[in-house]
Amino acid sequence: MKRLNLTVGRVMSVMLRALDQIDVRLVDHGHRVAYIVYKMMQASGTYSLREMQEIVIVSSLHDIGAYKTEEIDNMLRFESDDVFDHSIYGSLFFKYMSPLSKWSEVILYHHFNEIHYEKVNVERRIKDIAVMIHLADRMDILMQGRQSLREAEADLDHQKYRFGEKAISLFRQVNKEADIENSIKDGSYLGELKGMLKDADFEGDTMLDFIRMIAYSIDFRSETTVTHVVSTVSISLELGRFLGLQEEDLEKIELGAYLHDIGKIATPLGILEKPGSLTNEEMRTMREHIEITGDILKGRVQDEVYQIAYRHHEKLDGRGYPLKLTGDQLTLNDRIVAVSDMMSALAGKRSYKESFSKEVVIDILKRQMDSGKLDRRVIETAIANYDIIMECCRMNTLRITEIYHKIKSEFRSIRTGMMELV
Ligand SMILES: [Fe+2]
Ligand SMILES: [Fe+2]
Ligand SMILES: [Fe+2]
């Protein structure tokens, strides 16, 4: 994926822009927390550059499990006990889906108070970082609530039971030495973070792994969409290969397909899971996911990748959305992902329907082709190789389904354990 310029900075900005969609109050929260944690790590002098880079990424994404708005209300209230669901989900996403799974417990404990640690067995390093994230998180929330960091700091004397003395004194040190508050207010902290991440040397497909993590975590919101993205990717790649595409196009298609529904992070669960057909109003809300996808990706990924994702609901006859483009404007790559998205939806189970049989899927695809909505060559290729494409898709989705069930069952057991502690 080197050719697609998937740098750490770009991938992070896609992920954070996506998280921003959950709630405007979280805008840039992840970055600010990461910055404060970075300053504290620097001051402590016991972290290698590599560790700091990894922990900055983890800190930026510490709320990745928080896609339920009710939970965000709880998170943003200063005193609240009910903040563990998103910590557990987030840590499980990290554990099973990210290249930084070794830090997953940092996310699990990021709302733990110092006194809770007496009852659990946590590695010292993990605890130190989790406490820093906790403290930075609270400081940022106070700062957004118009308190100055100095005022917030003064109150820390009464907060030893939450953050412990070590983290508090580190924070005091950096709040004095570095002008954290000004760097945050004038936005220069972002440049500093970017600079420290710039040369982060992650191997091979690490950046794609992060993209996968965010894509799957959005699919995992609803039982019926768990494997939608992975099957869309799988079908797109198989179709691309049968159509003789070059490696570079396959990479663009793969990334575009992973990101095509990223805007659904903002679609209410009630709509995603509605058992019947949607009202006009609900349909409008559902369709907004495409604009949000565009907004998240624009300027952050290569233009062609953005285009593939943004155009997956366009039709050749100009009756798609959002731009009502026509056939002469849609590239082969666009067309492949549009067909794959539909195949994935038809062959999969949805809240409003069972999965369709091969005959029904093919019948619907033929009608799309004959009415001039989707590409003839792509659909003919899909029909001619249907069994191979779908078998390949089944194999690729198996692993994701397994992870989904693991996360679900582990979530329950960790939650029960935590509730006994706090
Ligand atoms: Fe949190
Ligand atoms: Fe979509
Ligand atoms: Fe889709």
Side-chain angles (χ1 to χ4, degrees):
M1 285 272 166
K2 280 254 150 52
R3 271 176 297 195
L4 297 186
N5 261 329
L6 272 187
T7 60
V8 188
R10 282 175 170 221
V11 170
M12 292 283 296
S13 79
V14 167
M15 291 195 289
L16 285 158
R17 189 76 194 100
L19 285 181
D20 284 352
Q21 305 299 321
I22 304 173
D23 193 297
V24 283
R25 289 167 297 175
L26 283 181
V27 173
D28 284 336
H29 169 68
H31 272 137
R32 290 190 302 258
V33 168
Y35 180 68
I36 298 173
V37 171
Y38 168 50
K39 286 288 152 192
M40 290 168 78
M41 287 189 292
Q42 252 185 342
S44 102
T46 58
Y47 295 85
S48 68
L49 176 62
R50 175 61 186 220
E51 274 178 315
M52 289 197 282
Q53 288 168 331
E54 292 184 356
I55 292 161
V56 158
I57 296 177
V58 177
S59 309
S60 298
L61 298 171
H62 70 278
D63 279 332
I64 189 168
Y67 43 54
K68 296 198 204 97
T69 317
E70 324 83 80
E71 261 170 51
I72 292 171
D73 289 333
N74 284 328
M75 256 161 50
L76 295 179
R77 230 174 286 139
F78 195 78
E79 302 291 339
S80 166
D81 279 337
D82 199 15
V83 285
F84 293 117
D85 285 6
H86 80 279
S87 312
I88 305 173
Y89 269 125
S91 77
L92 291 170
F93 291 153
F94 256 84
K95 179 172 170 188
Y96 289 111
M97 298 192 283
S98 93
L100 295 177
S101 52
K102 67 173 172 194
W103 299 117
S104 64
E105 284 193 317
V106 160
I107 293 181
L108 180 61
Y109 296 119
H110 84 272
H111 284 284
F112 250 46
N113 289 337
E114 178 73 17
I115 44 172
H116 296 141
Y117 285 101
E118 291 163 13
K119 301 175 214 159
V120 288
N121 196 359
V122 191
E123 223 180 280
R124 200 185 172 80
R125 199 70 158 171
I126 299 280
K127 181 196 153 184
D128 286 348
I129 301 164
V131 172
M132 284 194 279
I133 296 178
H134 189 192
L135 194 152
D137 179 284
R138 294 297 103 180
M139 291 302 108
D140 182 54
I141 284 167
L142 289 177
M143 200 167 35
Q144 299 315 308
R146 312 246 173 278
Q147 259 196 38
S148 78
L149 267 191
R150 301 253 176 256
E151 287 164 345
E153 187 197 305
D155 196 48
L156 282 173
D157 279 334
H158 311 293
Q159 307 278 336
K160 284 187 186 137
Y161 73 98
R162 310 183 84 182
F163 309 119
E165 297 201 13
K166 191 168 159 188
I168 292 177
S169 78
L170 262 184
F171 179 73
R172 287 226 155 95
Q173 198 182 325
V174 298
N175 202 24
K176 200 180 306 157
E177 286 168 3
D179 206 344
I180 298 186
E181 192 157 3
N182 281 342
S183 312
I184 288 178
K185 287 198 173 134
D186 67 20
S188 61
Y189 78 105
L190 280 173
E192 215 178 311
L193 278 185
K194 244 188 223 159
M196 73 88 66
L197 282 175
K198 201 173 72 198
D199 302 318
D201 186 19
F202 291 103
E203 317 55 51
D205 269 352
T206 305
M207 289 305 116
L208 190 58
D209 287 337
F210 279 120
I211 298 277
R212 288 192 185 107
M213 175 170 76
I214 187 96
Y216 295 155
S217 65
I218 295 167
D219 275 1
F220 282 12
R221 291 179 65 203
S222 168
E223 188 99 37
T224 54
T225 58
V226 168
T227 56
H228 173 60
V229 162
V230 68
S231 37
T232 307
V233 171
S234 173
I235 297 169
S236 300
L237 285 177
E238 282 310 299
L239 280 173
R241 287 186 193 113
F242 279 117
L243 287 159
L245 295 191
Q246 300 294 307
E247 199 52 39
E248 194 173 344
D249 280 311
L250 292 174
E251 285 185 0
K252 286 176 191 157
I253 284 181
E254 180 177 18
L255 190 54
Y258 269 120
L259 293 167
H260 81 278
D261 273 339
I262 196 167
K264 281 196 182 159
I265 195 163
T267 310
L269 209 52
I271 291 183
L272 287 181
E273 297 195 317
K274 187 171 176 186
S277 49
L278 299 177
T279 64
N280 286 344
E281 182 60 34
E282 288 165 338
M283 185 58 93
R284 222 169 298 137
T285 308
M286 181 68 162
R287 288 183 167 195
E288 278 170 9
H289 81 273
I290 202 84
E291 292 297 357
I292 299 168
T293 295
D295 181 52
I296 293 172
L297 300 180
K298 181 105 204 181
R300 295 188 174 87
V301 292
Q302 242 192 19
D303 283 350
E304 263 191 270
V305 173
Y306 157 78
Q307 195 179 292
I308 289 170
Y310 189 54
R311 294 177 167 188
H312 73 271
H313 288 297
E314 299 288 351
K315 303 280 185 196
L316 303 173
D317 64 359
R319 295 185 166 205
Y321 63 93
L323 298 176
K324 298 190 177 3
L325 299 177
T326 46
D328 50 325
Q329 295 164 293
L330 295 164
T331 67
L332 180 58
N333 291 351
D334 298 339
R335 296 167 188 224
I336 290 174
V337 175
V339 170
S340 308
D341 178 48
M342 181 173 274
M343 283 174 75
S344 160
L346 293 173
K349 220 174 116 176
R350 285 293 178 274
S351 56
Y352 50 90
K353 71 166 192 60
E354 286 303 311
S355 46
F356 291 147
S357 67
K358 174 180 173 181
E359 289 67 35
V360 176
V361 175
I362 289 184
D363 187 55
I364 295 173
L365 288 176
K366 274 187 179 154
R367 274 190 273 147
Q368 288 282 317
M369 167 177 95
D370 292 336
S371 59
K373 290 189 173 308
L374 291 178
D375 188 87
R376 176 168 296 274
R377 188 154 68 104
V378 176
I379 288 184
E380 278 172 352
T381 308
I383 295 174
N385 304 285
Y386 192 86
D387 292 335
I388 306 175
I389 292 172
M390 290 325 247
E391 176 55 17
C392 191
C393 177
R394 195 184 64 82
M395 302 283 285
N396 285 323
T397 53
L398 268 183
R399 213 190 107 246
I400 304 307
T401 317
E402 241 169 58
I403 292 178
Y404 175 76
H405 289 294
K406 241 192 249 173
I407 288 182
K408 241 176 103 175
S409 76
E410 261 182 63
F411 175 82
R412 276 190 231 108
S413 66
I414 296 177
R415 194 175 199 283
T416 315
M418 270 197 167
M419 288 306 138
E420 280 164 13
L421 283 178
V422 295

Short mmCIF file of all heavy atoms in Angstrom, two decimals, residues 228 260-262 264 286-287 289-290 293 309 312-313 321 341, ligand 2:
data_model
loop_
_atom_site.label_atom_id
_atom_site.label_comp_id
_atom_site.label_asym_id
_atom_site.label_seq_id
_atom_site.Cartn_x
_atom_site.Cartn_y
_atom_site.Cartn_z
N HIS A 228 -20.30 -6.87 6.44
CA HIS A 228 -20.58 -6.18 5.18
C HIS A 228 -19.32 -5.63 4.49
O HIS A 228 -19.12 -5.84 3.30
CB HIS A 228 -21.58 -5.05 5.39
CG HIS A 228 -21.78 -4.20 4.17
ND1 HIS A 228 -22.25 -4.75 2.99
CD2 HIS A 228 -21.52 -2.90 3.91
CE1 HIS A 228 -22.29 -3.79 2.06
NE2 HIS A 228 -21.85 -2.66 2.60
N HIS A 260 -15.78 2.52 2.24
CA HIS A 260 -16.96 3.04 1.56
C HIS A 260 -18.11 3.42 2.49
O HIS A 260 -18.84 4.36 2.23
CB HIS A 260 -17.43 2.10 0.45
CG HIS A 260 -18.27 0.94 0.91
ND1 HIS A 260 -17.72 -0.21 1.42
CD2 HIS A 260 -19.61 0.77 0.97
CE1 HIS A 260 -18.69 -1.06 1.75
NE2 HIS A 260 -19.85 -0.49 1.50
N ASP A 261 -18.28 2.70 3.58
CA ASP A 261 -19.40 3.00 4.48
C ASP A 261 -18.94 3.62 5.79
O ASP A 261 -19.66 3.58 6.78
CB ASP A 261 -20.20 1.73 4.78
CG ASP A 261 -21.28 1.48 3.73
OD1 ASP A 261 -21.68 2.43 3.03
OD2 ASP A 261 -21.74 0.32 3.62
N ILE A 262 -17.76 4.22 5.80
CA ILE A 262 -17.23 4.76 7.06
C ILE A 262 -18.18 5.81 7.64
O ILE A 262 -18.29 5.97 8.87
CB ILE A 262 -15.79 5.31 6.86
CG1 ILE A 262 -15.11 5.51 8.22
CG2 ILE A 262 -15.76 6.57 6.03
CD1 ILE A 262 -13.61 5.75 8.13
N LYS A 264 -21.22 5.57 7.99
CA LYS A 264 -22.28 4.94 8.78
C LYS A 264 -21.99 5.01 10.28
O LYS A 264 -22.84 4.66 11.09
CB LYS A 264 -22.48 3.48 8.35
CG LYS A 264 -23.29 3.39 7.08
CD LYS A 264 -23.83 2.00 6.85
CE LYS A 264 -24.59 1.99 5.52
NZ LYS A 264 -24.72 0.64 5.00
N MET A 286 -30.40 7.69 6.37
CA MET A 286 -29.56 6.57 5.95
C MET A 286 -28.63 7.01 4.82
O MET A 286 -27.44 6.73 4.83
CB MET A 286 -30.48 5.44 5.47
CG MET A 286 -29.74 4.21 5.03
SD MET A 286 -28.97 3.44 6.46
CE MET A 286 -28.68 1.83 5.82
N ARG A 287 -29.21 7.75 3.87
CA ARG A 287 -28.41 8.17 2.71
C ARG A 287 -27.35 9.20 3.05
O ARG A 287 -26.40 9.40 2.28
CB ARG A 287 -29.32 8.71 1.62
CG ARG A 287 -30.11 7.62 0.95
CD ARG A 287 -30.96 8.15 -0.17
NE ARG A 287 -31.47 7.06 -0.99
CZ ARG A 287 -32.01 7.24 -2.19
NH1 ARG A 287 -32.10 8.45 -2.69
NH2 ARG A 287 -32.44 6.20 -2.87
N HIS A 289 -25.13 8.88 5.01
CA HIS A 289 -23.84 8.25 5.29
C HIS A 289 -22.83 8.52 4.17
O HIS A 289 -21.64 8.56 4.38
CB HIS A 289 -23.98 6.74 5.56
CG HIS A 289 -24.08 5.89 4.33
ND1 HIS A 289 -25.27 5.62 3.70
CD2 HIS A 289 -23.13 5.23 3.62
CE1 HIS A 289 -25.04 4.83 2.65
NE2 HIS A 289 -23.75 4.58 2.58
N ILE A 290 -23.37 8.73 2.98
CA ILE A 290 -22.47 8.92 1.86
C ILE A 290 -21.76 10.27 1.94
O ILE A 290 -20.57 10.39 1.69
CB ILE A 290 -23.22 8.72 0.52
CG1 ILE A 290 -22.26 8.38 -0.59
CG2 ILE A 290 -24.07 9.90 0.14
CD1 ILE A 290 -21.93 6.95 -0.65
N THR A 293 -19.22 9.97 4.64
CA THR A 293 -18.06 9.25 4.12
C THR A 293 -17.17 10.22 3.34
O THR A 293 -15.95 10.27 3.53
CB THR A 293 -18.50 8.10 3.18
OG1 THR A 293 -19.21 7.13 3.96
CG2 THR A 293 -17.32 7.43 2.51
N ALA A 309 -15.05 5.39 -2.86
CA ALA A 309 -15.91 5.30 -1.69
C ALA A 309 -17.14 6.20 -1.83
O ALA A 309 -18.27 5.80 -1.56
CB ALA A 309 -15.11 5.67 -0.44
N HIS A 312 -20.18 4.96 -4.36
CA HIS A 312 -20.68 3.58 -4.44
C HIS A 312 -22.20 3.47 -4.55
O HIS A 312 -22.73 2.39 -4.78
CB HIS A 312 -20.14 2.72 -3.28
CG HIS A 312 -20.72 3.01 -1.93
ND1 HIS A 312 -20.20 3.94 -1.08
CD2 HIS A 312 -21.78 2.46 -1.27
CE1 HIS A 312 -20.91 3.95 0.05
NE2 HIS A 312 -21.88 3.06 -0.05
N HIS A 313 -22.92 4.57 -4.40
CA HIS A 313 -24.37 4.52 -4.61
C HIS A 313 -24.81 5.23 -5.88
O HIS A 313 -26.00 5.45 -6.11
CB HIS A 313 -25.12 5.10 -3.41
CG HIS A 313 -25.07 4.21 -2.20
ND1 HIS A 313 -25.62 2.94 -2.18
CD2 HIS A 313 -24.51 4.40 -0.97
CE1 HIS A 313 -25.40 2.39 -0.99
NE2 HIS A 313 -24.73 3.25 -0.24
N TYR A 321 -27.13 8.35 -6.07
CA TYR A 321 -26.86 9.51 -5.23
C TYR A 321 -25.43 9.45 -4.71
O TYR A 321 -24.82 8.39 -4.74
CB TYR A 321 -27.88 9.58 -4.08
CG TYR A 321 -27.85 8.42 -3.10
CD1 TYR A 321 -27.08 8.51 -1.93
CD2 TYR A 321 -28.57 7.24 -3.32
CE1 TYR A 321 -27.05 7.45 -1.02
CE2 TYR A 321 -28.53 6.18 -2.41
CZ TYR A 321 -27.78 6.29 -1.28
OH TYR A 321 -27.74 5.25 -0.39
N ASP A 341 -20.78 -3.89 -3.48
CA ASP A 341 -21.56 -3.42 -2.33
C ASP A 341 -22.96 -4.02 -2.39
O ASP A 341 -23.50 -4.52 -1.42
CB ASP A 341 -21.62 -1.89 -2.36
CG ASP A 341 -22.46 -1.31 -1.23
OD1 ASP A 341 -22.25 -1.72 -0.07
OD2 ASP A 341 -23.32 -0.45 -1.50
FE FE B 2 -23.31 2.66 1.49
#
